[in-house]
Amino acid sequence: MKVKIGISIAFSCVLSLALCGQSALAAPAPASQPTVASGQDFANDLVVGAGKSVLVDCALPIERVAVGSGDIAEVTVVSPTELMLNGKTAGDTSLIVWQKGGSRQFFNVLVRANNSAANDRVDALRRELRTELPGQDLRVTSENGLVFLRGTVKDLVSNDRAVQIAATAGKVVNLLYVEVPAAEPQILLKVRFASLDRSLNNQLGINLFSLGAANTIGSVTTQQFSPPVISATGSSGSGGTTGTGATATISDLMNLYVFRPDINLGATIKALEAQGVVQVLAEPNVMTSNGKQGSILAGGQYPYPVVQGTSAGSAPTVTIQFKEFGVRLNFIPTITPRGTIRLQVAPEVSSLDFANGITISGFTVPGLDVRSVKTEVELAEGQSFAIGGLLDNRETKTLSKIPFIGDVPILGKFFQSITKTKTNTELIVIVTPEIVAPIPAGASLPQLKYPENFLPSASGISMTTPGADVTGAKPSSPTPQTMPVEKLIRSMQPEQPLVIDGSMSTTGFSTTSSATSTGTTQ
């Protein structure tokens, strides 16, 4: 028995069949090829590629054929003893051939995927990777619609680009390694916070009073500066002068005081000039890593009470909270691809201001004198920016006079009071970032110059761990050259924030205690 097989598009396969068989094109079957008697039902395997065809010769004339799934393969009878099987898409199906005489032939048909298109995509992918990422060890394989990406890249940016390119050929399985990057640069931010407040206050006024002059007791005042308090008791008071049937009490002894006992006429004169100067120079320096937040507070926290809501029949509750004051600096530096440093910076200088404080239920809560800036700038290493500046000049004038008589030329000046207040505030904030390296091991460290010597150590023991001469060589693990991408990304994630005990918390803490109805803590 001789069987012939025809294969389109130069595709060939070798199958051993019984009555319907396949062999190499125009090649005789081996002499040892088994034969099966006609009329028996048996199954054979047929393998064809998607988009390919195979011819099958049968020993007996073909009466009818059927394919299990027409979406996977189709069959066409081209002659009484010859049929052609076409593969359409990858999958498994069955082929049944009915022959003359009643015999049937069963075939298990396997249609394999056409790998030529996939191979073309992988080759194109390799070319793109070599073009976009030259000099980097990248290997690509494809199987069952998955793209396996292996090799070593220089950094995470190269990893992301390789994954994006590979994703054009299918779902990517990223098995890349990445070279371990150098340590992030350390950035030191120097801030100069300079402020100057000056004030000039002029006060001039006169209060006239009589303790019986012309049989009249009284006073003439604008009420702007504390006038004498006159009482017709006939007794002398502290700081006052006794006249006939009247007493004048002086409350402000800083005034000029004039009194004529013979005529019982006196005057207090307010003539005061006050000058004030407040200078603030703060230079906080903070260091942090690239992209990480740095913060410093040189100051303290002051307590203030907060009355909580109460239920019926219970005493009010006072909660003590804390607010920060002093010199504070918060900033986040980021090194840009241009090599500059982008700063998010918020310096602040604050101090307690009891003059503008309030007293509630016996609690004195001071105000805060605050100078703060919050902005974002970009500058090169070592360069400086004046991120904030303020020039504030103010003048306040208050004039009080007695109507009519205060308008009389020359004489009217005795019935007027005037206060002039001038203030000048100048503020400037300058920032300078620098990329710094750590102090070498064994080098001298910066020290403060203490004006007084400390007591010598009582134990003479160094407050450090003994060196290698005592403990032996320190264990060291070699730094890996590469690591998986996932491991590197995990190592670069932000650390968990520090959790500080409430008594030291920079955001303050609350202490609840019972209080009386007047707000006094019990």
Side-chain angles (χ1 to χ4, degrees):
M1 176 182 63
K2 182 169 64 176
V3 181
K4 294 188 299 181
I5 178 172
I7 305 175
S8 65
I9 317 179
F11 175 80
S12 62
C13 63
V14 179
L15 296 173
S16 298
L17 303 176
L19 294 180
C20 293
Q22 301 177 76
S23 66
L25 184 62
S32 60
Q33 180 177 355
T35 58
V36 180
S38 177
Q40 292 184 346
D41 296 338
F42 55 90
N44 296 283
D45 294 332
L46 281 176
V47 180
V48 64
K52 308 296 182 178
S53 301
V54 63
L55 288 175
V56 180
D57 289 336
C58 296
L60 300 176
I62 300 171
E63 292 186 345
R64 185 158 49 100
V65 295
V67 175
S69 175
D71 294 334
I72 297 177
E74 65 178 1
V75 63
T76 303
V77 178
V78 295
S79 71
T81 59
E82 190 177 43
L83 57 87
M84 182 173 63
L85 181 67
N86 300 319
K88 300 176 67 176
T89 185
D92 295 329
T93 187
S94 300
L95 170 63
I96 304 175
V97 179
W98 283 268
Q99 297 177 327
K100 187 176 181 180
S103 63
R104 295 184 301 274
Q105 300 297 323
F106 296 88
F107 297 91
N108 298 320
V109 179
L110 173 61
V111 180
R112 291 179 175 174
N114 189 349
N115 294 327
S116 60
N119 292 336
D120 292 341
R121 287 196 301 268
V122 172
D123 291 339
L125 179 59
R126 293 191 181 104
R127 288 192 299 270
E128 289 297 328
L129 290 174
R130 286 194 298 267
T131 302
E132 298 298 326
L133 303 172
Q136 302 193 44
D137 179 24
L138 293 174
R139 300 182 299 276
V140 181
T141 58
S142 177
E143 185 175 348
N144 295 331
L146 299 177
V147 179
F148 294 89
L149 199 56
R150 297 179 176 88
T152 303
V153 292
K154 295 180 180 180
D155 48 39
L156 291 178
V157 175
S158 299
N159 167 78
D160 295 340
R161 298 194 68 181
V163 172
Q164 291 179 356
I165 295 173
T168 60
K171 184 177 180 180
V172 179
V173 179
N174 188 358
L175 302 176
L176 288 174
Y177 278 67
V178 62
E179 296 179 3
V180 177
E184 288 285 353
Q186 311 294 312
I187 301 174
L188 174 66
L189 181 64
K190 299 179 178 180
V191 178
R192 176 181 289 265
F193 212 122
S195 174
L196 175 63
D197 290 347
R198 295 180 295 173
S199 62
L200 178 62
N201 190 17
N202 291 321
Q203 296 176 336
L204 180 62
I206 185 171
N207 297 313
L208 301 176
F209 65 94
S210 171
L211 299 181
N215 295 322
T216 303
I217 298 175
S219 64
V220 179
T221 176
T222 61
Q223 297 292 329
Q224 186 171 6
F225 307 117
S226 302
V229 179
I230 300 175
S231 58
T233 60
S235 59
S236 60
S238 175
T241 303
T242 305
T244 303
T247 300
T249 302
I250 309 300
S251 61
D252 189 357
L253 296 181
M254 292 293 293
N255 293 334
L256 298 178
Y257 170 60
V258 179
F259 183 73
R260 287 286 302 271
D262 55 339
I263 60 176
N264 288 328
L265 185 66
T268 59
I269 301 174
K270 184 79 167 183
L272 182 66
E273 179 177 314
Q275 294 182 358
V277 176
V278 177
Q279 298 180 146
V280 177
L281 176 61
E283 297 186 23
N285 296 338
V286 184
M287 187 179 69
T288 186
S289 298
N290 178 32
K292 305 297 175 57
Q293 179 173 343
S295 177
I296 185 175
L297 172 65
Q301 297 178 341
Y302 70 92
Y304 63 94
V306 177
V307 179
Q308 305 293 332
T310 59
S311 58
S314 62
T317 301
V318 176
T319 298
I320 303 300
Q321 297 183 354
F322 287 80
K323 186 173 182 61
E324 297 174 346
F325 70 95
V327 179
R328 167 171 284 285
L329 173 61
N330 294 319
F331 79 106
I332 300 178
T334 304
I335 299 179
T336 67
R338 296 177 294 277
T340 59
I341 300 175
R342 185 170 62 248
L343 286 175
Q344 300 179 54
V345 59
E348 177 182 303
V349 174
S350 59
S351 59
L352 299 180
D353 184 4
F354 289 92
N356 294 319
I358 59 174
T359 301
I360 302 176
S361 301
F363 294 96
T364 300
V365 181
L368 278 181
D369 186 9
V370 180
R371 294 167 174 84
S372 62
V373 178
K374 183 178 180 181
T375 185
E376 182 172 344
V377 295
E378 183 174 331
L379 66 171
E381 178 191 2
Q383 292 182 338
S384 299
F385 261 140
I387 62 171
L390 172 66
L391 176 61
D392 186 5
N393 278 318
R394 301 187 185 189
E395 181 174 346
T396 303
K397 182 177 180 180
T398 303
L399 175 65
S400 299
K401 64 181 179 178
I402 298 174
F404 305 115
I405 192 171
D407 297 326
V408 177
I410 302 175
L411 182 63
K413 298 296 182 181
F414 293 97
F415 303 95
Q416 295 179 358
S417 297
I418 186 171
T419 300
K420 287 184 179 180
T421 302
K422 296 181 179 181
T423 60
N424 169 255
T425 300
E426 298 182 27
L427 169 69
I428 187 170
V429 182
I430 301 175
V431 295
T432 305
E434 293 182 1
I435 298 177
V436 297
I439 299 174
S444 60
L445 301 178
Q447 298 288 342
L448 295 177
K449 185 177 181 180
Y450 294 101
E452 298 290 338
N453 294 327
F454 289 108
L455 288 174
S457 173
S459 62
I461 300 175
S462 176
M463 298 290 103
T464 59
T465 301
D469 56 339
V470 176
T471 61
K474 61 181 180 181
S476 60
S477 56
T479 303
Q481 297 296 324
T482 63
M483 65 175 58
V485 174
E486 300 84 356
K487 185 176 181 180
L488 178 61
I489 293 177
R490 285 197 301 268
S491 68
M492 298 176 64
Q493 291 177 350
E495 302 290 342
Q496 293 294 329
L498 290 175
V499 178
I500 307 176
D501 182 71
S503 60
M504 299 293 291
S505 174
T506 58
T507 58
F509 66 96
S510 298
T511 302
T512 304
S513 60
S514 61
T516 63
S517 59
T518 61
T520 304
T521 304
Q522 299 296 312

